Amino acid sequence: MVDGVKAAFPDAVSRAKRVVHIDKHTQRFDRDAAQALLHLAVPRTAGLYLRPAPITEVLTTNLLPVTEMPPTVHLAPAAFTDYRAAGAALDAQGQRASGWILRDGLVLSFHSLRDSPLRVLCAGDPERHETVEWADSDDLDTLHRFADLLSRTVQSSYPDLRWHKDRKHMHFRATSRLGPRKAGKGPGSRGRTVFGPHASKSDPQRVGFYHHAALRTRFRRLGGVWYCQLEPDYCFTTDGHTEHRYADRLLAGIKRLDRHPAVRGWTRAWANYLNHADLFTEPRPVQFGELATMTVDRGIDDRCWGPAPSGAAPEDDQDPSVGGQESLDTVLAAVDTDTRDLLSLLQDGDSDGEPGPGAPRRRSPGDKARSAGRRTSRRAGTNSARRGR
């Protein structure tokens, strides 16, 4: 403000008159004066930090709370040390039981081991333990066993999903006639195409690959509550069963295009699917609530951010893990597809019916430079969650 006063009285004559002339049209003290005041307040030798105005935000996490689980855990000394041999023993009985794990010389399941096909896996008398003893335990080994059992039980509770051993995820099975299938309709999502064919770019009459919506899960106990952490993923096959020879390239391509709206949409679709139940669905042993949310009294108003500096570097759109410095188009050309095809997978089923702000798209270097100074949208992987059951 000292500089402003000096500017109003530049000489001895004006200082003697002690009169300031104000133009009400150009010097009105309104909201437009904020930038001028900030400019005067900036020190000549240092920057100026102004805390953003406090705002309230509701954050939606990718954590799905476990609301119900079986009351007892069954365990017994295991007759087998690997899953292949154990599976063969079950197949020999003509029955395929699921929802069990082998760990530390034990076979564990939420199902009875005494009077079920799983009895063949036992090398000794089964025991029963209250689930709460495991769920609330402070022993890390016990918690790891319990989380593993929850994960395997959930994987076997959805017949439409198949476990991919190498990718460590579960994905939707192909439909009987290899036609598209949608799932995940519910609050916040119109559902998404969880399996479908993609035509070859060079020959539209030929299917280039099939995409399968996939999901990685991790069970965690936070604040005394068990959650299933959802991490959407993708799987690509040549015929609905055999993994595509260029699956890594397709995955690298889609990861380059993946943005917050797509992750959010797929997370909601998966949450809706895992929660879906109707008259024809048997009650699942592990059941979930709605995605955990949290309200915070701190946030950043995007309108407070100015344009990116002229020298800001454009967003890096390269993935060194596949193809080195190859462009995205070059990576996808080897798979006989293009960016538009993958974008249709990401934008499919947006809750508002059309791509919203921040929807994934190919951007020019100019667009990237202009947006480099804006706040990056929060991804769905917030690690906080509500406390309580």
Side-chain angles (χ1 to χ4, degrees), residues 22-23 86 120 126 135 169 204 212 248 303 385:
I22 299 175
D23 186 335
V120 71
H169 68 213
H212 307 245
D248 287 334
R303 294 173 298 179

Side-chain angles (χ1 to χ4, degrees), residues 16-342:
K17 291 183 177 180
R18 299 183 178 181
V19 176
V20 177
H21 296 278
I22 299 175
D23 186 335
K24 292 188 293 184
H25 299 288
T26 61
Q27 296 175 293
R28 180 177 300 173
F29 191 76
D30 56 14
R31 63 185 301 173
D32 294 332
Q35 290 298 327
L37 291 174
L38 286 176
H39 179 73
L40 291 173
V42 174
R44 295 180 181 275
T45 59
L48 176 67
Y49 170 76
L50 294 178
R51 186 176 128 191
I55 61 175
T56 299
E57 286 190 272
V58 177
L59 305 182
T60 300
T61 73
N62 65 342
L63 301 173
L64 206 58
V66 177
T67 59
E68 189 171 331
M69 59 183 73
T72 55
V73 176
H74 302 260
L75 62 91
F80 303 92
T81 58
D82 64 86
Y83 284 96
R84 185 185 297 274
L90 288 170
D91 290 339
Q93 290 188 319
Q95 301 186 56
R96 190 67 179 180
S98 57
W100 52 274
I101 65 170
L102 298 176
R103 184 145 184 161
D104 302 324
L106 298 173
V107 54
L108 301 96
S109 178
F110 286 123
H111 303 294
S112 173
L113 298 177
R114 191 176 298 277
D115 51 1
S116 74
L118 294 176
R119 185 68 179 88
V120 71
L121 304 181
C122 303
D125 291 334
E127 299 177 5
R128 293 178 55 183
H129 296 264
E130 296 295 325
T131 296
V132 67
E133 297 177 10
W134 289 61
D136 295 341
S137 175
D138 292 327
D139 180 68
L140 290 180
D141 288 337
T142 301
L143 290 180
H144 291 160
R145 290 177 183 176
F146 188 69
D148 195 9
L149 180 58
L150 284 174
S151 181
R152 184 60 67 95
T153 302
V154 169
Q155 292 167 18
S156 62
S157 298
Y158 298 84
D160 295 327
L161 302 181
R162 182 177 66 174
W163 175 251
H164 195 303
K165 181 179 179 181
D166 295 331
R167 299 284 180 181
K168 304 298 182 184
H169 68 213
M170 50 186 177
H171 61 257
F172 276 90
R173 298 179 185 273
T175 55
S176 58
R177 297 188 178 182
L178 299 181
R181 179 191 174 183
K182 296 198 73 170
K185 183 178 180 180
S189 176
R190 295 181 178 180
R192 293 191 166 234
T193 305
V194 296
F195 171 78
H198 293 254
S200 166
K201 181 180 178 181
S202 60
D203 181 7
Q205 302 301 317
R206 180 176 63 85
V207 174
F209 63 90
Y210 294 88
H211 87 264
H212 307 245
L215 179 70
R216 298 175 187 269
T217 60
R218 178 186 176 190
F219 282 86
R220 311 176 64 181
R221 192 181 69 183
L222 301 171
V225 181
W226 279 93
Y227 295 91
C228 179
Q229 179 177 307
L230 308 181
E231 299 178 14
D233 200 0
Y234 308 91
C235 184
F236 301 96
T237 61
T238 57
D239 55 5
H241 304 280
T242 307
E243 186 172 69
H244 199 283
R245 61 180 297 192
Y246 291 125
D248 287 334
R249 283 180 173 266
L250 286 166
L251 189 60
I254 203 167
K255 291 298 184 182
R256 293 189 192 184
L257 300 171
D258 218 353
R259 297 293 184 269
H260 173 62
V263 176
R264 177 184 59 196
W266 276 112
T267 300
R268 289 190 180 276
W270 273 110
N272 293 337
Y273 174 77
L274 295 178
N275 271 321
H276 176 73
D278 52 36
L279 295 176
F280 305 100
T281 303
E282 294 185 6
R284 299 185 179 98
V286 178
Q287 299 183 29
F288 304 101
E290 301 298 325
L291 286 170
T293 62
M294 57 187 301
T295 302
V296 296
D297 58 359
R298 292 291 185 271
I300 298 177
D301 189 340
D302 288 334
R303 294 173 298 179
C304 293
W305 287 78
S310 58
E315 180 180 330
D316 185 12
D317 202 26
Q318 301 296 324
D319 184 353
S321 63
V322 178
Q325 296 300 315
E326 290 178 310
S327 68
L328 179 59
D329 291 335
T330 302
V331 170
L332 297 182
V335 197
D336 201 14
T337 188
D338 56 21
T339 305
R340 182 174 55 184
D341 203 15
L342 293 185

Side-chain angles (χ1 to χ4, degrees), residues 345-386:
L345 200 165
L346 293 173
Q347 295 172 346
D348 174 50
D350 285 331
S351 59
D352 57 3
E354 58 186 53
R361 61 185 179 90
R362 292 301 303 277
R363 298 181 296 170
S364 67
D367 289 334
K368 294 177 183 178
R370 283 190 290 274
S371 66
R374 300 175 188 161
R375 177 172 60 102
T376 301
S377 299
R378 291 178 176 85
R379 295 188 67 83
T382 304
N383 288 330
S384 303
R386 290 185 295 113

